[in-house]
């Protein structure tokens, strides 16, 4: 028998037996001890049981074991899912959020668990995401910044998390990009330097971080390369001089 290397143990730690299982009295039920059993504590076996018997999932939506409820939510017809939105276990609500229709998915935008809200942010229609831009968790805001329509990113230019701001800098429209040249994080400013129009890069020629100045040297208009030809960083100086067609001399 193809079984996982774990004993058939119930979710409360008891040994399992087919002899006292109610499912055995249902001739249409397909199950197998230690492989596909709704009473097992091992989620894979519970999942296999519902994969073999999807019509039974609706009977277990209030089961006391959260894994049974979470797996049942993967297999039950979608119109049963709204009743599980307030389930006390976050794993169950996460499973529900994977399949809820959009109208009901809105109800989980303020779920107390970050993983549930992240799942909501991944699935929600982009026109509904603006209400999640101020979420208290950076992971949620990161997904929002990656998916939301660029015109809404103006409200995230000064997000407290640098990774969120990096995504914003990579996606925000050119008209707003200049507002990020003084961002406190060099990684964010580097993204800005990689996207600004060459004529606008003068504002970053004296940035305190060499990586930002190097990105500037790669793209700035040739007429302004003199601002970087004597840069304190060798890599920046070398690039600026190479682009200017000069070697070893000082530009004035």
């Amino acid at each position: 028998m193809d079984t996982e290397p774990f004993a058939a143990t119930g979710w409360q730690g008891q040994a399992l037996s087919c002899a006292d299982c109610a499912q055995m009295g249902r001739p249409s039920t397909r199950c197998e001890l230690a492989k596909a059993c709704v009473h097992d504590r091992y989620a894979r076996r519970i999942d296999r049981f519902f994969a073999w018997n999807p019509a039974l999932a609706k009977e277990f939506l209030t089961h006391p074991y959260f894994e049974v409820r979470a797996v049942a939510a993967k297999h039950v017809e979608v119109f049963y899912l709204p009743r599980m939105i307030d389930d006390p276990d976050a794993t169950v609500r996460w499973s529900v959020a994977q399949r809820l229709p959009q109208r009901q998915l809105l109800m989980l935008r303020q779920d107390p668990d970050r993983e549930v809200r992240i799942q909501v942010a991944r699935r929600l229609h982009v026109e509904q995401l603006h209400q999640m831009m101020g979420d208290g968790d950076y992971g949620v805001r990161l997904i929002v910044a990656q998916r939301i329509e660029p015109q809404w990113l103006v409200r995230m230019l000064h997000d407290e998390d640098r990774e969120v701001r990096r995504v914003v800098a990579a996606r925000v429209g050119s008209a707003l990009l200049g507002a990020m040249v003084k961002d406190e994080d060099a990684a964010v400013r580097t993204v800005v330097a990689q996207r600004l129009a060459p004529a606008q890069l003068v504002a970053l020629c004296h940035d305190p971080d060499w990586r930002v100045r190097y990105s500037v040297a790669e793209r700035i208009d040739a007429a302004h390369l003199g601002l970087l030809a004597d840069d304190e960083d060798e890599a920046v100086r070398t690039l600026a001089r190479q682009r200017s067609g000069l070697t070893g001399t000082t530009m004035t």
Side-chain angles (χ1 to χ4, degrees), residues 104-117:
Q104 285 85 22
L105 190 60
L106 289 168
M107 300 171 67
L108 286 173
R109 283 180 302 190
Q110 296 182 333
D111 190 273
D113 187 84
R114 71 181 298 267
E115 295 299 332
V116 175
R117 300 197 308 279

Side-chain angles (χ1 to χ4, degrees), residues 64-76:
Y65 185 34
F66 77 94
E67 288 282 18
V68 171
R69 303 196 306 275
V71 177
K74 292 174 54 180
H75 297 274
V76 76

Side-chain angles (χ1 to χ4, degrees), residues 77-86 96 100-101 104 107:
E77 294 94 329
V78 294
F79 54 81
Y80 284 101
L81 294 174
R83 68 180 64 177
M84 304 179 76
I85 286 175
D86 294 322
V96 170
L100 266 179
Q104 285 85 22
M107 300 171 67

Side-chain angles (χ1 to χ4, degrees), residues 41-62:
R41 67 180 175 186
Y42 190 33
R44 183 175 297 177
R45 295 171 183 171
I46 299 169
D47 190 43
R48 192 174 290 127
F49 175 86
F50 287 126
W52 289 2
N53 307 277
L56 298 182
K58 61 181 177 292
E59 300 180 16
F60 292 89
L61 302 184
T62 59

Side-chain angles (χ1 to χ4, degrees), residues 78 81-82 85 96-109 119-129 132 147:
V78 294
L81 294 174
I85 286 175
V96 170
Q98 287 188 301
R99 299 184 60 221
L100 266 179
Q102 288 289 318
R103 185 164 56 87
Q104 285 85 22
L105 190 60
L106 289 168
M107 300 171 67
L108 286 173
R109 283 180 302 190
Q119 183 64 20
V120 172
R122 285 174 176 157
R123 289 196 58 229
L124 204 60
H125 287 323
V126 292
E127 61 267 23
Q128 301 287 349
L129 282 174
M132 300 187 77
R147 297 189 61 227

Side-chain angles (χ1 to χ4, degrees), residues 102 105 117-130 132-133 140-153 156 167-168 171:
Q102 288 289 318
L105 190 60
R117 300 197 308 279
I118 286 175
Q119 183 64 20
V120 172
R122 285 174 176 157
R123 289 196 58 229
L124 204 60
H125 287 323
V126 292
E127 61 267 23
Q128 301 287 349
L129 282 174
H130 64 278
M132 300 187 77
M133 287 189 293
V140 177
R141 300 195 308 278
L142 186 63
I143 300 297
V144 172
Q146 291 168 345
R147 297 189 61 227
I148 202 167
E149 295 174 342
Q151 62 265 30
W152 285 101
L153 291 173
M156 303 185 80
V167 171
V168 173
R171 298 189 65 229

Side-chain angles (χ1 to χ4, degrees), residues 12-249:
Q12 293 181 307
Q14 75 277 24
L16 294 178
S17 170
C18 295
D20 55 358
C21 178
Q23 300 303 322
M24 294 301 294
R26 307 171 72 165
S28 61
T29 301
R30 180 187 174 195
C31 56
E32 186 175 329
L33 192 66
K35 183 174 184 179
C37 178
V38 73
H39 302 301
D40 204 294
R41 67 180 175 186
Y42 190 33
R44 183 175 297 177
R45 295 171 183 171
I46 299 169
D47 190 43
R48 192 174 290 127
F49 175 86
F50 287 126
W52 289 2
N53 307 277
L56 298 182
K58 61 181 177 292
E59 300 180 16
F60 292 89
L61 302 184
T62 59
H63 192 277
Y65 185 34
F66 77 94
E67 288 282 18
V68 171
R69 303 196 306 275
V71 177
K74 292 174 54 180
H75 297 274
V76 76
E77 294 94 329
V78 294
F79 54 81
Y80 284 101
L81 294 174
R83 68 180 64 177
M84 304 179 76
I85 286 175
D86 294 322
D87 191 279
D89 191 273
T91 302
V92 178
R93 300 194 305 277
W94 182 89
S95 184
V96 170
Q98 287 188 301
R99 299 184 60 221
L100 266 179
Q102 288 289 318
R103 185 164 56 87
Q104 285 85 22
L105 190 60
L106 289 168
M107 300 171 67
L108 286 173
R109 283 180 302 190
Q110 296 182 333
D111 190 273
D113 187 84
R114 71 181 298 267
E115 295 299 332
V116 175
R117 300 197 308 279
I118 286 175
Q119 183 64 20
V120 172
R122 285 174 176 157
R123 289 196 58 229
L124 204 60
H125 287 323
V126 292
E127 61 267 23
Q128 301 287 349
L129 282 174
H130 64 278
Q131 296 186 37
M132 300 187 77
M133 287 189 293
D135 191 275
D137 186 88
Y138 85 95
V140 177
R141 300 195 308 278
L142 186 63
I143 300 297
V144 172
Q146 291 168 345
R147 297 189 61 227
I148 202 167
E149 295 174 342
Q151 62 265 30
W152 285 101
L153 291 173
V154 63
R155 293 172 53 185
M156 303 185 80
L157 293 178
H158 306 292
D159 190 275
E160 64 184 33
D161 185 83
R162 70 174 185 175
E163 292 303 318
V164 175
R165 297 197 308 278
R166 283 182 65 185
V167 171
V168 173
R171 298 189 65 229
V172 73
S174 57
L176 294 171
L177 191 58
M180 303 187 77
V181 296
K182 294 185 178 180
D183 190 277
E184 65 183 29
D185 191 89
V188 177
R189 299 196 305 276
T190 299
V191 176
V192 174
Q194 291 167 350
R195 292 193 61 221
L196 273 179
Q200 296 177 287
L201 288 172
V202 172
L204 287 169
C205 280
H206 301 294
D207 190 274
D209 192 281
W210 75 269
R211 295 168 297 177
V212 178
R213 300 195 306 277
Y214 189 89
S215 294
V216 172
E218 288 181 311
R219 303 181 56 248
I220 197 169
D221 286 339
H224 299 298
L225 282 168
L227 295 171
L228 296 162
D230 295 313
D231 192 271
E232 64 183 37
D233 183 85
E234 181 180 359
V236 177
R237 287 197 310 271
T238 300
L239 178 58
R241 291 168 182 246
Q242 286 175 345
R243 287 193 61 212
S244 301
L246 300 175
T247 55
T249 59

